[in-house]
Amino acid sequence: MGLNVVLRSAVMRGLAGGPRVLLVACPGGTAVRLAAEAAVGERGGRLALTPAEADVLLVAGEPAAELRSAVDVLWGQMPGPRRLGQAARARDVGAVLEALLPGRGDGGRAARSAPWAPSGGDGETARLGEPVMAGRGEDRDGLRLDVLRVPLGPVLPDWPAGLVVDTVVQGDVVQRAGGRVLPFAGPRRPPFWHAGKSPDARRRRTAAAHLDSLGRLLAVAGWEAAAREARRLRDRLLDGEPERGVRADVGAWRRRVERSRTLRWATDGLGVLTPADAAGLGVSGPAARARAPHDATARWRRWLEEADGLLAGGPVRDGGPRGSATVEGVPPSRGLLAAAVERMPGRELSAARLLLASLDPDPDELAAGRAPGGTRGVGVR
């Protein structure tokens, strides 16, 4: 990182007036991630998009070895003063974050709340989306272009926790893609978005899940204000606000989103998933119920429609946010990930990210039921 970049980042962090937190979410750690997002905002901070603009690195959940290696890389890319901490449980987030804030922690050193010592090594950079030269090949116009291997993830802004999409890129166009979710180190537990003991609790949790997915998609599309509002509405539901008031605000926000020509321009025709394709891949839930033309626009419209219906008292369908498991017990997010990577070739990287966000496979679903500390992730090609 050049000196000018470091100085500019330090100045911007000073002007921000609050901590800039680079949040690393672990598979199986959705509850911790949500608590961390809320806690950062409550303390006047904001989530950083890059290591260069962050002064705090917070790990939400319990990372296994490969994700820890990625954290080491991020730590090595952060300018000082910097602080590192981990919250393994949602109820730990507040105390850990307080210890990391300037003036309340250890004077700029790595926080004691991190259970491992980061190396800051440079050898894992490729895991974070840096291209690796693989050779040269001809594109469709006959030009000789570099062929790069570009892994997306496991740590990117507005990216599913612990997901890695390994791409082969020529120019800025994806030629091949395969997806995998890193192993997790925590105890086995049901996916966060499936929780809820009563029908009312499950309905609220499912509506919040759709708003969470919408927030990720809107942020990837570059509409940060609408994404922040989606997350505020999500948090109000999770905090137990009466559904009537939340629904009124969801309705006003929904109308603003649906009127956006720019958003539709970005998502129209992207990642068409027909009902037959969805059935073949084991996809159910909102993605399978999206109306014709079954593209990314139809999918985010379906999230909006179903969130509103749930807040009006409608039932939870398919047993959970992303759908029902197949008869073999395969979680629906496996099919969502497969659908995403199958539709990435021929797309620019930015469109590939938006395509993934429109399907939003849930790493918690993929992590559930696997042994803690496993050595192998779940992958599709």
Side-chain angles (χ1 to χ4, degrees):
M1 182 184 300
L3 180 59
N4 288 339
V5 174
V6 173
L7 292 175
R8 185 165 59 250
S9 298
V11 171
M12 292 304 295
R13 287 184 290 145
L15 292 175
R20 294 208 175 186
V21 179
L22 189 62
L23 182 62
V24 177
C26 304
T30 295
V32 191
R33 188 257 299 176
L34 294 171
E37 290 177 0
V40 169
E42 290 167 359
R43 288 159 177 79
R46 56 163 289 186
L47 296 179
L49 298 180
T50 67
E53 67 179 17
D55 45 31
V56 172
L57 177 56
L58 178 61
V59 180
E62 300 183 55
E66 189 171 352
L67 193 52
R68 286 190 182 191
S69 296
V71 171
D72 288 351
V73 177
L74 294 171
W75 179 249
Q77 294 173 344
M78 288 174 59
R82 56 185 182 168
R83 297 162 189 266
L84 167 68
Q86 179 196 355
R89 300 169 299 181
R91 64 177 177 267
D92 298 333
V93 167
V96 170
L97 193 56
E98 282 294 316
L100 297 174
L101 296 180
R104 308 180 203 181
D106 56 5
R109 296 183 298 275
R112 290 184 298 274
S113 51
W116 75 94
S119 65
D122 296 323
E124 302 290 337
T125 306
R127 299 180 191 271
L128 305 180
E130 294 289 335
V132 178
M133 188 70 69
R136 300 180 72 86
E138 291 189 3
D139 74 351
R140 286 169 292 184
D141 298 321
L143 301 176
R144 300 288 290 180
L145 297 175
D146 293 334
V147 177
L148 306 176
R149 297 185 182 277
V150 182
L152 302 176
V155 182
L156 286 172
D158 304 298
W159 185 256
L163 177 66
V164 180
V165 174
D166 297 299
T167 68
V168 174
V169 177
Q170 197 167 22
D172 60 352
V173 176
V174 176
Q175 306 297 317
R176 296 194 300 277
R180 56 194 174 93
V181 174
L182 301 187
F184 78 114
R188 285 174 287 182
R189 56 174 63 94
F192 175 84
W193 296 119
H194 288 255
K197 295 182 179 179
S198 69
D200 286 348
R202 292 184 60 232
R203 188 171 61 247
R204 294 173 68 92
R205 184 68 62 97
T206 302
H210 296 342
L211 291 168
D212 187 63
S213 295
L214 284 159
R216 183 174 294 112
L217 180 138
L218 291 165
V220 172
W223 196 358
E224 189 57 44
R228 285 195 301 269
E229 183 61 21
R231 290 161 180 160
R232 280 194 290 265
L233 293 164
R234 172 202 69 190
D235 292 344
R236 288 169 59 187
L237 281 175
L238 294 175
D239 289 343
E241 278 198 34
E243 295 175 23
R244 178 179 298 179
V246 178
R247 188 189 180 205
D249 292 339
V250 166
W253 169 81
R254 173 186 176 182
R255 289 189 292 273
R256 191 163 66 251
V257 171
E258 289 183 324
R259 286 197 300 263
S260 172
R261 294 181 180 179
T262 302
L263 180 61
R264 293 197 303 271
W265 175 83
T267 57
D268 281 353
L270 180 64
V272 171
L273 180 69
T274 67
D277 291 337
L281 291 168
V283 172
S284 55
R289 293 191 290 271
R291 295 184 175 88
H294 312 294
D295 57 2
T297 299
R299 288 191 289 274
W300 60 253
R301 284 183 179 276
R302 190 68 191 181
W303 278 328
L304 289 169
E305 181 180 337
E306 294 201 5
D308 184 71
L310 288 161
L311 294 177
V316 175
R317 301 178 62 179
D318 288 344
R322 305 298 196 273
S324 302
T326 67
V327 292
E328 295 83 10
V330 177
S333 283
R334 178 79 68 87
L336 291 170
L337 180 55
V341 298
E342 284 182 6
R343 284 153 181 79
M344 286 185 182
R347 299 284 181 181
E348 296 180 357
L349 281 171
S350 58
R353 282 206 62 186
L354 193 55
L355 167 58
L356 180 80
S358 76
L359 291 158
D360 201 26
D362 181 8
D364 282 11
E365 285 187 357
L366 298 171
R370 306 212 317 271
T375 59
R376 200 163 58 89
V378 174
V380 297
R381 293 283 171 184

